[in-house]
């Protein structure tokens, strides 16, 4: 393992590198993978709580789940894996990050170029006119209620964040059945195809469009390095595979670079 890690470190030092991250990188920060055994989707049925169509009909279900997400995110801090990636960008080795996460922890760690495939929790927009709203203001208002009381009111159509135009206001996270921001996706693919190494951290690569990004890199001659605790379907196409914890392995990788 040590030789493999040293080899990757040497390659990255002389090659422009991009990184793709998934839920696994934020688990040590206290954010469980939505899809894991204890994840949110076991408590909240995605077709009701996470669907765009349902949000448009009745946003109270989404908010019932999202209030839990907001509590988790508010207290979460970047872990060594996020910090190493931010440091690598500062050193000019990492050209940018593509993430499936909505937790904002890469930015909190200091990363600048971050393509958030599933959107962000840091802003909200009207679903009809697109007007932007402060996520913090909406959170402050919602958290002034006791949760069960708030959900009871929302089921009756009250206290639901609503725009001046009458449209429902939604955090800018991509829900099931909602179109991904296409320009952002193209920018992420351009980053992956322009780099010599794509580092994949904490993603099982089972959800599109993230699952295709390693192949975009590979088609353009890039090498793929995967760091994840569990084996995944793209491992067999990767040049480097480490079934390790990213928060432990990434600091070792940087040490091997001697930068
Ligand atoms: Zn509006």
């Amino acid at each position: 393992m040590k030789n493999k890690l040293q080899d990757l470190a040497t390659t990255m030092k002389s090659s422009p590198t991009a990184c793709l991250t998934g839920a696994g990188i934020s688990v040590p920060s206290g954010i469980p993978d939505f899809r894991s055994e204890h994840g949110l989707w076991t408590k909240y049925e995605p077709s009701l709580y996470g669907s765009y169509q349902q949000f448009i009909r009745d946003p109270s279900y989404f908010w019932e789940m999202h209030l839990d997400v907001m509590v988790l995110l508010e207290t979460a801090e970047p872990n060594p894996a996020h910090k190493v990636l931010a440091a690598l960008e500062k050193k000019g080795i990492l050209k940018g990050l593509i993430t499936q996460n909505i937790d904002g922890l890469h930015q909190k760690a200091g990363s600048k170029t971050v393509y958030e495939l599933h959107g962000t929790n840091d802003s909200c927009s009207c679903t009809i006119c697109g007007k932007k709203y402060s996520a913090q203001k909406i959170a402050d208002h919602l958290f002034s209620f006791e949760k069960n009381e708030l959900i009871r009111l929302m089921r009756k159509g009250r206290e639901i964040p609503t725009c001046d135009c009458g449209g429902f206001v939604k955090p800018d996270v991509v829900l099931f059945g909602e179109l991904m921001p296409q320009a952002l996706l193209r920018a992420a693919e351009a980053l992956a195809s322009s780099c010599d190494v794509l580092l994949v951290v904490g993603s099982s690569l089972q959800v599109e469009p993230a699952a295709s990004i390693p192949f975009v890199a590979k088609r353009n001659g890039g090498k793929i390095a995967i760091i994840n605790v569990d084996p995944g379907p793209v491992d067999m196409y990767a040049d480097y595979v480490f079934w390790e914890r990213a928060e432990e392995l990434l600091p070792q990788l940087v040490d091997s670079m001697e930068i």
Side-chain angles (χ1 to χ4, degrees), residues 93-118:
I93 292 171
L94 201 68
K95 301 303 171 195
L97 270 166
I98 305 161
T99 186
Q100 297 171 277
N101 301 338
I102 57 152
D103 53 40
L105 290 180
H106 286 304
Q107 291 91 332
K108 231 175 176 176
S111 289
K112 301 286 181 229
T113 305
V114 184
Y115 299 104
E116 297 171 297
L117 293 178
H118 295 179

Side-chain angles (χ1 to χ4, degrees), residues 32-61:
D33 184 346
F34 283 22
R35 292 166 197 281
S36 70
E37 204 184 328
H38 304 290
L40 275 178
W41 297 139
T42 55
K43 186 173 172 193
Y44 297 110
E45 168 57 38
S47 62
L48 181 62
Y49 293 90
S51 123
Y52 185 71
Q53 283 69 24
Q54 178 63 30
F55 183 91
I56 296 301
R57 276 195 293 268
D58 176 359
S60 69
Y61 292 92

Side-chain angles (χ1 to χ4, degrees), residues 126 128-131 163 165 167:
C126 170
I128 291 181
C129 74
K131 183 175 171 186
C163 179
C165 81

